[in-house]
Coordinates of all heavy atoms in Angstrom, one line a residue:
G958 N 81.5 87.9 32.4 CA 81.2 86.5 32.8 C 81.7 85.5 31.8 O 81.5 84.3 32.0
A959 N 82.4 85.9 30.8 CA 82.9 85.0 29.8 C 84.2 84.3 30.3 O 84.4 83.1 29.9 CB 83.3 85.7 28.5
K960 N 84.9 84.9 31.1 CA 86.1 84.3 31.7 C 85.9 83.9 33.1 O 85.5 84.8 33.9 CB 87.3 85.3 31.6 CG 87.7 85.8 30.3 CD 88.4 84.7 29.5 CE 89.9 84.9 29.5 NZ 90.6 83.9 28.7
K961 N 86.1 82.6 33.4 CA 85.8 82.1 34.8 C 87.1 81.7 35.3 O 87.9 81.0 34.7 CB 84.8 81.0 34.6 CG 84.1 80.7 35.9 CD 83.0 79.7 35.7 CE 82.4 79.2 37.0 NZ 81.6 78.1 36.9
A962 N 87.4 82.0 36.6 CA 88.6 81.6 37.2 C 88.7 80.0 37.3 O 87.7 79.4 37.6 CB 88.7 82.2 38.6
R963 N 89.9 79.5 37.1 CA 90.0 78.0 37.2 C 89.8 77.5 38.6 O 90.1 78.3 39.5 CB 91.3 77.6 36.5 CG 92.6 77.9 37.4 CD 93.8 77.5 36.6 NE 95.0 77.8 37.4 CZ 95.6 77.0 38.3 NH1 95.0 75.9 38.6 NH2 96.7 77.4 38.9
R964 N 89.4 76.3 38.7 CA 89.2 75.7 40.0 C 90.5 75.3 40.7 O 91.3 74.5 40.1 CB 88.3 74.4 39.8 CG 88.0 73.7 41.1 CD 87.0 72.6 40.8 NE 85.7 73.1 40.3 CZ 84.8 72.4 39.6 NH1 85.1 71.2 39.3 NH2 83.7 73.0 39.3
R965 N 90.8 75.9 41.8 CA 92.0 75.6 42.5 C 91.7 74.7 43.7 O 91.2 75.1 44.7 CB 92.7 76.9 43.0 CG 93.1 77.8 41.9 CD 93.8 79.1 42.4 NE 95.1 78.8 42.9 CZ 95.6 79.4 44.0 NH1 94.9 80.3 44.7 NH2 96.8 79.1 44.5
V966 N 92.0 73.4 43.5 CA 91.6 72.4 44.5 C 92.7 72.3 45.5 O 93.9 72.6 45.3 CB 91.4 71.0 43.9 CG1 90.2 71.1 42.9 CG2 92.6 70.5 43.2
G967 N 92.3 71.9 46.7 CA 93.3 71.7 47.8 C 93.9 73.0 48.4 O 95.0 73.0 48.8
R968 N 93.1 74.1 48.3 CA 93.6 75.4 48.8 C 92.7 75.9 49.9 O 92.4 77.1 50.0 CB 93.6 76.4 47.6 CG 94.6 76.1 46.5 CD 96.0 76.3 47.1 NE 97.0 76.1 46.1 CZ 97.5 74.9 45.8 NH1 97.1 73.8 46.4 NH2 98.5 74.8 44.9
G969 N 92.4 75.0 50.8 CA 91.7 75.5 52.1 C 90.2 75.3 52.1 O 89.6 75.1 51.0
I970 N 89.7 75.3 53.3 CA 88.3 75.0 53.5 C 87.4 76.0 52.8 O 86.3 75.7 52.4 CB 88.0 74.9 55.0 CG1 86.7 74.2 55.3 CG2 88.0 76.3 55.7 CD1 86.5 73.8 56.7
G971 N 87.8 77.2 52.7 CA 86.9 78.3 52.2 C 86.7 78.1 50.7 O 85.7 78.7 50.1
S972 N 87.5 77.4 50.0 CA 87.4 77.3 48.6 C 86.3 76.3 48.2 O 85.9 76.2 47.1 CB 88.7 76.8 47.9 OG 89.0 75.4 48.3
G973 N 85.9 75.5 49.2 CA 84.9 74.4 48.9 C 85.5 73.2 48.4 O 84.9 72.2 48.2
L974 N 86.8 73.2 48.1 CA 87.5 72.1 47.6 C 88.8 71.9 48.3 O 89.9 71.5 47.8 CB 87.8 72.2 46.1 CG 86.6 72.1 45.1 CD1 86.9 72.6 43.8 CD2 86.1 70.7 45.1
G975 N 88.8 72.1 49.6 CA 90.0 71.8 50.5 C 90.0 70.4 50.9 O 89.2 69.6 50.5
K976 N 90.9 70.1 51.8 CA 91.1 68.8 52.4 C 91.2 67.7 51.4 O 92.3 67.4 50.9 CB 89.9 68.5 53.4 CG 90.3 67.3 54.3 CD 89.1 66.9 55.2 CE 89.3 65.6 55.8 NZ 88.1 64.9 56.0
T977 N 90.1 67.0 51.0 CA 90.2 65.9 50.1 C 90.2 66.4 48.6 O 90.3 65.5 47.7 CB 89.0 64.9 50.3 OG1 87.8 65.6 50.2 CG2 89.1 64.2 51.6
A978 N 90.0 67.6 48.4 CA 90.1 68.2 47.1 C 89.1 67.6 46.1 O 89.4 67.4 44.9 CB 91.5 68.2 46.5
G979 N 87.9 67.2 46.5 CA 86.9 66.7 45.6 C 87.1 65.2 45.3 O 86.3 64.7 44.4
R980 N 88.0 64.6 45.9 CA 88.3 63.2 45.6 C 87.6 62.2 46.5 O 87.7 61.0 46.3 CB 89.8 62.9 45.7 CG 90.6 63.5 44.6 CD 92.1 63.4 44.9 NE 92.9 63.8 43.8 CZ 93.6 63.0 43.0 NH1 93.5 61.7 43.2 NH2 94.4 63.4 42.1
G981 N 86.9 62.7 47.5 CA 86.2 61.8 48.4 C 87.2 61.2 49.4 O 88.3 61.7 49.5
H982 N 86.8 60.1 50.1 CA 87.7 59.5 51.1 C 88.2 58.2 50.7 O 87.4 57.3 50.2 CB 86.9 59.4 52.5 CG 86.6 60.7 53.1 ND1 87.4 61.4 53.9 CD2 85.4 61.4 53.0 CE1 86.8 62.5 54.3 NE2 85.6 62.5 53.7
K983 N 89.4 57.9 50.8 CA 90.1 56.6 50.6 C 89.8 56.1 49.2 O 89.1 56.7 48.4 CB 89.6 55.6 51.6 CG 90.0 56.0 53.0 CD 89.7 54.8 54.0 CE 90.0 55.2 55.4 NZ 89.4 54.2 56.3
G984 N 90.4 54.9 48.9 CA 90.2 54.3 47.6 C 91.2 54.6 46.6 O 91.9 55.6 46.7
Q985 N 91.3 53.8 45.6 CA 92.3 54.0 44.5 C 92.3 55.4 43.9 O 93.2 56.0 43.6 CB 92.2 52.9 43.5 CG 93.3 52.9 42.5 CD 93.2 51.7 41.5 OE1 92.2 51.1 41.3 NE2 94.3 51.5 40.8
K986 N 91.0 55.8 43.6 CA 90.9 57.1 42.8 C 91.2 58.3 43.7 O 91.3 59.4 43.1 CB 89.4 57.2 42.3 CG 89.2 56.2 41.1 CD 87.8 56.0 40.8 CE 87.2 57.2 40.0 NZ 85.8 56.9 39.6
S987 N 91.3 58.1 45.0 CA 91.6 59.3 45.8 C 93.1 59.5 46.0 O 93.6 60.5 46.4 CB 91.0 59.1 47.2 OG 91.8 58.1 47.9
R988 N 93.9 58.5 45.6 CA 95.3 58.5 45.8 C 96.1 59.1 44.6 O 95.7 58.9 43.5 CB 95.8 57.1 46.2 CG 95.0 56.5 47.3 CD 95.7 55.3 47.9 NE 94.8 54.6 48.8 CZ 94.4 55.0 50.0 NH1 94.9 56.1 50.5 NH2 93.6 54.2 50.7
A989 N 97.3 59.7 44.9 CA 98.1 60.2 43.8 C 98.6 59.0 43.0 O 99.1 58.0 43.5 CB 99.3 61.0 44.4
G990 N 98.5 59.1 41.7 CA 99.0 58.1 40.8 C 98.2 56.9 40.8 O 98.5 55.9 40.1
G991 N 97.1 56.9 41.5 CA 96.2 55.7 41.6 C 95.1 55.8 40.5 O 94.1 56.3 40.8
Y992 N 95.4 55.3 39.4 CA 94.3 55.2 38.4 C 94.4 53.9 37.6 O 95.3 53.1 37.8 CB 94.3 56.5 37.5 CG 92.9 56.9 37.3 CD1 92.1 57.5 38.3 CD2 92.2 56.8 36.0 CE1 90.8 57.9 38.1 CE2 90.9 57.2 35.8 CZ 90.2 57.7 36.9 OH 88.9 58.1 36.7
H993 N 93.5 53.7 36.6 CA 93.5 52.4 35.9 C 93.0 52.7 34.5 O 92.6 53.8 34.2 CB 92.5 51.5 36.6 CG 91.2 52.1 37.0 ND1 90.3 52.5 36.1 CD2 90.7 52.6 38.2 CE1 89.3 53.1 36.7 NE2 89.5 53.2 37.9
K994 N 93.1 51.6 33.7 CA 92.7 51.8 32.3 C 91.2 51.9 32.1 O 90.4 51.5 33.0 CB 93.3 50.6 31.5 CG 92.7 49.3 31.8 CD 93.4 48.2 31.0 CE 92.9 46.8 31.5 NZ 93.7 45.7 30.9
V995 N 90.8 52.4 31.0 CA 89.4 52.6 30.6 C 88.7 51.2 30.6 O 89.3 50.3 30.0 CB 89.3 53.3 29.3 CG1 87.8 53.4 28.8 CG2 89.9 54.7 29.3
G996 N 87.6 51.2 31.2 CA 86.8 49.9 31.2 C 87.1 49.0 32.4 O 86.5 48.0 32.6
F997 N 88.2 49.4 33.2 CA 88.6 48.5 34.3 C 87.5 48.7 35.4 O 87.0 49.8 35.7 CB 89.9 49.0 34.9 CG 90.4 48.2 36.0 CD1 90.8 46.8 35.8 CD2 90.5 48.7 37.3 CE1 91.3 46.1 36.8 CE2 91.0 47.9 38.3 CZ 91.4 46.6 38.1
E998 N 87.1 47.5 36.0 CA 86.0 47.5 36.9 C 86.5 47.0 38.3 O 85.8 46.2 38.9 CB 84.8 46.7 36.4 CG 84.2 47.3 35.2 CD 83.0 46.6 34.7 OE1 82.3 45.9 35.5 OE2 82.7 46.7 33.5
G999 N 87.7 47.2 38.6 CA 88.2 46.8 39.9 C 88.5 45.3 40.0 O 88.4 44.8 41.1
G1000 N 88.7 44.7 38.9 CA 88.9 43.2 39.0 C 87.7 42.4 38.6 O 87.8 41.3 38.3
Q1001 N 86.5 43.1 38.7 CA 85.3 42.4 38.2 C 85.5 42.2 36.7 O 86.1 42.9 36.0 CB 84.1 43.3 38.5 CG 82.8 42.8 37.9 CD 81.7 43.7 38.3 OE1 81.4 43.8 39.5 NE2 81.0 44.3 37.3
M1002 N 84.8 41.1 36.2 CA 84.9 40.8 34.8 C 84.3 42.0 34.0 O 83.2 42.4 34.2 CB 84.1 39.5 34.4 CG 84.3 39.0 33.0 SD 86.0 38.6 32.6 CE 86.2 37.2 33.6
P1003 N 85.1 42.7 33.1 CA 84.6 43.9 32.4 C 83.4 43.6 31.5 O 83.2 42.5 31.0 CB 85.8 44.3 31.6 CG 87.0 43.5 32.1 CD 86.5 42.3 32.8
L1004 N 82.7 44.6 31.3 CA 81.5 44.5 30.5 C 81.7 43.9 29.1 O 81.0 43.0 28.6 CB 80.8 45.9 30.3 CG 79.5 45.9 29.5 CD1 78.4 45.2 30.2 CD2 79.1 47.3 29.2
Q1005 N 82.8 44.3 28.4 CA 83.1 43.8 27.1 C 83.4 42.3 27.1 O 83.4 41.7 26.0 CB 84.2 44.6 26.4 CG 85.6 44.5 26.9 CD 85.9 45.4 28.0 OE1 85.1 46.0 28.7 NE2 87.2 45.6 28.2
R1006 N 83.8 41.8 28.2 CA 84.1 40.3 28.3 C 82.9 39.6 28.9 O 82.9 38.3 28.7 CB 85.3 40.1 29.2 CG 86.6 40.6 28.5 CD 87.9 40.2 29.1 NE 88.0 38.7 29.3 CZ 88.8 38.1 30.2 NH1 89.5 38.9 31.0 NH2 88.8 36.8 30.2
R1007 N 82.0 40.2 29.5 CA 80.8 39.6 30.0 C 79.8 39.3 28.9 O 79.0 38.4 29.0 CB 80.1 40.4 31.1 CG 80.8 40.5 32.4 CD 79.9 41.0 33.5 NE 79.3 42.3 33.4 CZ 79.9 43.4 33.8 NH1 81.0 43.4 34.4 NH2 79.2 44.5 33.6
L1008 N 79.8 40.1 27.9 CA 78.8 40.0 26.8 C 79.2 38.9 25.9 O 80.4 38.6 25.7 CB 78.7 41.3 26.0 CG 78.2 42.5 26.8 CD1 78.3 43.8 26.0 CD2 76.8 42.3 27.3
P1009 N 78.2 38.2 25.3 CA 78.6 37.1 24.4 C 79.2 37.5 23.1 O 78.9 38.6 22.6 CB 77.2 36.4 24.2 CG 76.2 37.4 24.4 CD 76.8 38.3 25.5
K1010 N 80.0 36.7 22.5 CA 80.6 37.0 21.2 C 79.5 36.7 20.2 O 78.9 35.6 20.2 CB 81.8 36.1 21.0 CG 83.0 36.5 21.8 CD 84.3 36.0 21.1 CE 84.9 35.0 21.9 NZ 86.2 34.4 21.3
R1011 N 79.3 37.6 19.3 CA 78.2 37.5 18.4 C 78.5 38.1 17.0 O 79.0 39.2 17.0 CB 76.9 38.1 19.0 CG 75.7 37.2 18.8 CD 74.5 37.9 19.3 NE 73.5 37.6 18.2 CZ 73.1 38.5 17.4 NH1 73.6 39.7 17.4 NH2 72.2 38.2 16.4
G1012 N 78.2 37.4 15.9 CA 78.2 38.1 14.6 C 79.5 38.2 14.0 O 80.6 38.1 14.7
F1013 N 79.5 38.4 12.7 CA 80.8 38.6 12.0 C 80.4 39.3 10.7 O 79.4 38.9 10.0 CB 81.4 37.2 11.7 CG 82.5 37.3 10.7 CD1 83.8 37.7 11.1 CD2 82.3 36.9 9.4 CE1 84.8 37.8 10.2 CE2 83.4 37.0 8.4 CZ 84.6 37.4 8.8
K1014 N 81.2 40.3 10.3 CA 80.9 40.9 9.0 C 82.2 40.8 8.1 O 83.2 41.3 8.5 CB 80.6 42.4 9.2 CG 80.1 43.1 8.0 CD 79.5 44.4 8.3 CE 79.0 45.0 7.0 NZ 78.2 46.2 7.1
S1015 N 82.0 40.1 7.1 CA 83.2 39.8 6.2 C 83.7 41.1 5.6 O 82.9 42.0 5.1 CB 82.8 38.9 5.1 OG 83.8 38.7 4.2
A1016 N 85.0 41.2 5.5 CA 85.7 42.4 4.9 C 85.5 42.4 3.4 O 85.6 43.4 2.8 CB 87.1 42.4 5.3
S1017 N 85.2 41.3 2.8 CA 85.0 41.2 1.4 C 83.6 41.6 0.9 O 83.4 41.7 -0.3 CB 85.3 39.7 0.9 OG 84.3 38.9 1.4
L1018 N 82.7 41.9 1.8 CA 81.4 42.3 1.4 C 81.4 43.6 0.5 O 80.5 43.8 -0.3 CB 80.5 42.5 2.6 CG 79.9 41.3 3.3 CD1 79.1 41.7 4.5 CD2 79.1 40.5 2.3
K1019 N 82.3 44.5 0.8 CA 82.3 45.8 0.0 C 82.7 45.5 -1.5 O 82.5 46.4 -2.3 CB 83.3 46.7 0.7 CG 84.7 46.3 0.7 CD 85.6 47.3 1.5 CE 87.0 46.7 1.8 NZ 87.5 47.0 3.0
F1020 N 83.2 44.4 -1.8 CA 83.6 44.1 -3.2 C 82.5 43.4 -4.0 O 82.6 43.1 -5.1 CB 84.8 43.2 -3.2 CG 86.0 43.8 -2.6 CD1 86.6 43.2 -1.5 CD2 86.5 45.0 -3.0 CE1 87.7 43.8 -0.8 CE2 87.6 45.6 -2.4 CZ 88.2 45.0 -1.3
N1021 N 81.4 43.1 -3.3 CA 80.2 42.4 -3.9 C 79.1 43.3 -4.1 O 78.8 44.1 -3.2 CB 79.8 41.2 -3.0 CG 80.8 40.2 -2.9 OD1 81.7 40.0 -3.7 ND2 80.8 39.4 -1.8
G1022 N 78.4 43.3 -5.3 CA 77.3 44.1 -5.5 C 76.1 43.3 -6.0 O 76.2 42.2 -6.5
E1023 N 74.9 44.0 -5.9 CA 73.7 43.3 -6.3 C 72.8 44.3 -7.2 O 72.7 45.5 -6.8 CB 72.9 43.0 -5.0 CG 72.1 41.7 -5.1 CD 71.5 41.4 -3.8 OE1 70.6 42.1 -3.3 OE2 71.9 40.4 -3.2
V1024 N 72.3 43.8 -8.2 CA 71.5 44.6 -9.1 C 70.2 43.8 -9.4 O 70.2 42.6 -9.5 CB 72.2 44.8 -10.5 CG1 71.3 45.7 -11.4 CG2 73.5 45.6 -10.3
T1025 N 69.0 44.5 -9.4 CA 67.7 43.9 -9.6 C 67.4 44.0 -11.1 O 67.9 44.8 -11.9 CB 66.6 44.6 -8.8 OG1 66.5 45.9 -9.2 CG2 67.0 44.5 -7.3
L1026 N 66.4 43.2 -11.5 CA 65.8 43.2 -12.8 C 65.2 44.6 -13.1 O 65.4 45.1 -14.2 CB 64.8 42.1 -13.0 CG 65.3 40.7 -13.0 CD1 64.1 39.7 -13.1 CD2 66.2 40.4 -14.2
A1027 N 64.6 45.2 -12.1 CA 64.0 46.5 -12.2 C 65.1 47.6 -12.5 O 64.9 48.5 -13.3 CB 63.3 46.9 -11.0
D1028 N 66.3 47.4 -11.9 CA 67.4 48.3 -12.2 C 67.8 48.2 -13.6 O 68.1 49.2 -14.3 CB 68.6 48.0 -11.3 CG 68.3 48.3 -9.8 OD1 67.5 49.2 -9.6 OD2 69.0 47.7 -8.9
L1029 N 67.9 47.0 -14.2 CA 68.3 46.8 -15.6 C 67.3 47.4 -16.5 O 67.6 47.9 -17.5 CB 68.5 45.3 -15.8 CG 69.7 44.5 -15.2 CD1 69.6 43.1 -15.5 CD2 71.0 45.2 -15.6
Q1030 N 66.0 47.2 -16.2 CA 64.9 47.8 -17.0 C 65.1 49.3 -17.0 O 65.0 50.0 -18.1 CB 63.6 47.4 -16.4 CG 62.4 47.9 -17.1 CD 62.1 47.2 -18.4 OE1 62.4 46.1 -18.6 NE2 61.5 47.9 -19.4
A1031 N 65.3 50.0 -15.8 CA 65.5 51.4 -15.8 C 66.7 51.9 -16.5 O 66.8 53.0 -17.0 CB 65.5 51.8 -14.3
L1032 N 67.8 51.1 -16.5 CA 69.0 51.4 -17.1 C 68.8 51.6 -18.6 O 69.4 52.5 -19.2 CB 70.1 50.3 -16.8 CG 71.5 50.6 -17.3 CD1 72.1 51.8 -16.6 CD2 72.4 49.4 -17.0
G1033 N 68.1 50.7 -19.2 CA 67.7 50.9 -20.6 C 68.8 50.7 -21.6 O 68.8 51.2 -22.7
K1034 N 69.8 49.9 -21.3 CA 70.9 49.6 -22.2 C 70.9 48.1 -22.6 O 70.5 47.3 -21.8 CB 72.3 49.9 -21.6 CG 72.5 51.4 -21.4 CD 73.9 51.8 -21.0 CE 74.0 53.3 -20.8 NZ 75.4 53.6 -20.4
E1035 N 71.3 47.8 -23.8 CA 71.3 46.5 -24.3 C 72.5 45.7 -23.8 O 72.4 44.5 -23.4 CB 71.3 46.4 -25.8 CG 69.9 46.7 -26.4 CD 69.8 46.4 -27.9 OE1 70.6 45.6 -28.4 OE2 68.9 47.0 -28.5
D1036 N 73.7 46.3 -23.8 CA 74.9 45.6 -23.4 C 75.3 46.1 -22.0 O 75.5 47.3 -21.8 CB 76.1 45.9 -24.3 CG 75.9 45.2 -25.7 OD1 75.3 44.1 -25.7 OD2 76.3 45.8 -26.7
V1037 N 75.3 45.2 -21.0 CA 75.6 45.6 -19.6 C 76.8 44.8 -19.1 O 76.8 43.6 -19.2 CB 74.3 45.4 -18.7 CG1 74.6 45.7 -17.3 CG2 73.1 46.1 -19.2
D1038 N 77.7 45.6 -18.5 CA 78.8 45.0 -17.9 C 79.1 45.7 -16.6 O 78.4 46.7 -16.2 CB 80.1 44.9 -18.8 CG 80.6 46.2 -19.3 OD1 79.9 47.2 -18.9 OD2 81.6 46.3 -19.9
L1039 N 80.2 45.4 -15.9 CA 80.5 46.0 -14.6 C 80.8 47.5 -14.7 O 80.3 48.3 -13.9 CB 81.8 45.3 -14.0 CG 82.2 45.7 -12.6 CD1 81.0 45.5 -11.6 CD2 83.4 44.9 -12.1
V1040 N 81.5 47.9 -15.8 CA 81.8 49.3 -16.0 C 80.5 50.1 -16.2 O 80.3 51.2 -15.6 CB 82.7 49.5 -17.2 CG1 83.0 51.0 -17.5 CG2 84.0 48.7 -16.9
T1041 N 79.6 49.6 -17.0 CA 78.3 50.3 -17.3 C 77.5 50.5 -16.0 O 77.0 51.6 -15.7 CB 77.4 49.4 -18.2 OG1 78.2 49.0 -19.3 CG2 76.3 50.2 -18.7
L1042 N 77.5 49.5 -15.1 CA 76.8 49.5 -13.8 C 77.4 50.6 -12.9 O 76.7 51.3 -12.2 CB 76.7 48.2 -13.2 CG 75.9 47.1 -13.9 CD1 76.1 45.7 -13.3 CD2 74.4 47.5 -14.0
K1043 N 78.7 50.6 -12.9 CA 79.4 51.6 -12.1 C 79.2 53.0 -12.5 O 78.9 53.9 -11.7 CB 80.9 51.3 -12.1 CG 81.4 50.2 -11.2 CD 82.9 50.0 -11.2 CE 83.3 48.8 -10.3 NZ 84.7 48.6 -10.3
E1044 N 79.2 53.2 -13.9 CA 78.9 54.6 -14.4 C 77.5 55.0 -14.1 O 77.2 56.2 -13.9 CB 79.1 54.6 -15.9 CG 80.6 54.5 -16.3 CD 80.8 54.3 -17.8 OE1 79.9 54.1 -18.6 OE2 82.0 54.3 -18.2
A1045 N 76.6 54.1 -14.1 CA 75.2 54.4 -13.8 C 74.9 54.6 -12.4 O 73.9 55.1 -12.0 CB 74.3 53.3 -14.4
G1046 N 75.9 54.2 -11.5 CA 75.8 54.4 -10.1 C 74.9 53.3 -9.4 O 74.5 53.5 -8.3
L1047 N 74.7 52.2 -10.1 CA 73.9 51.1 -9.5 C 74.8 50.3 -8.5 O 74.2 49.6 -7.7 CB 73.4 50.2 -10.6 CG 72.3 50.8 -11.5 CD1 71.9 49.9 -12.7 CD2 71.1 51.2 -10.7
V1048 N 76.1 50.3 -8.7 CA 77.0 49.6 -7.8 C 78.1 50.5 -7.4 O 78.4 51.5 -8.1 CB 77.6 48.3 -8.3 CG1 76.5 47.2 -8.5 CG2 78.3 48.5 -9.6
G1049 N 78.8 50.3 -6.3 CA 79.9 51.2 -5.8 C 81.1 51.0 -6.7 O 81.3 50.0 -7.4
Q1050 N 82.0 51.9 -6.5 CA 83.3 51.9 -7.3 C 84.2 50.8 -6.9 O 85.0 50.4 -7.7 CB 84.0 53.3 -7.2 CG 83.3 54.4 -7.8 CD 83.1 54.2 -9.3 OE1 84.0 53.8 -10.0 NE2 81.9 54.5 -9.9
L1051 N 84.1 50.3 -5.6 CA 85.0 49.2 -5.2 C 84.5 47.8 -5.6 O 85.3 46.9 -5.5 CB 85.0 49.2 -3.6 CG 85.8 50.4 -3.0 CD1 85.6 50.3 -1.5 CD2 87.2 50.4 -3.4
V1052 N 83.3 47.7 -6.1 CA 82.7 46.4 -6.4 C 83.4 45.7 -7.5 O 83.8 46.3 -8.5 CB 81.2 46.6 -6.8 CG1 80.6 45.3 -7.3 CG2 80.4 47.1 -5.5

Side-chain angles (χ1 to χ4, degrees):
K960 299 288 258 181
K961 200 172 174 191
R963 72 183 178 86
R964 181 175 291 160
R965 295 182 70 220
V966 297
R968 290 292 180 274
I970 198 168
S972 70
L974 288 166
K976 193 185 168 213
T977 55
R980 287 170 173 255
H982 293 276
K983 298 185 185 172
Q985 186 177 17
K986 286 166 76 172
S987 75
R988 308 192 191 285
Y992 223 67
H993 46 73
K994 63 184 177 187
V995 175
F997 183 68
E998 298 182 23
Q1001 173 176 299
M1002 189 61 69
L1004 180 66
Q1005 71 270 22
R1006 291 191 56 201
R1007 288 199 300 268
L1008 297 174
K1010 287 202 248 180
R1011 223 185 134 256
F1013 169 78
K1014 189 166 183 177
S1015 174
S1017 67
L1018 283 177
K1019 62 184 167 221
F1020 301 117
N1021 298 335
E1023 215 174 68
V1024 179
T1025 64
L1026 292 175
D1028 291 337
L1029 292 178
Q1030 180 74 29
L1032 188 61
K1034 293 191 177 179
E1035 282 191 24
D1036 293 325
V1037 178
D1038 60 356
L1039 187 57
V1040 177
T1041 313
L1042 295 172
K1043 284 183 181 180
E1044 285 170 357
L1047 292 175
V1048 293
Q1050 291 299 316
L1051 291 175
V1052 171

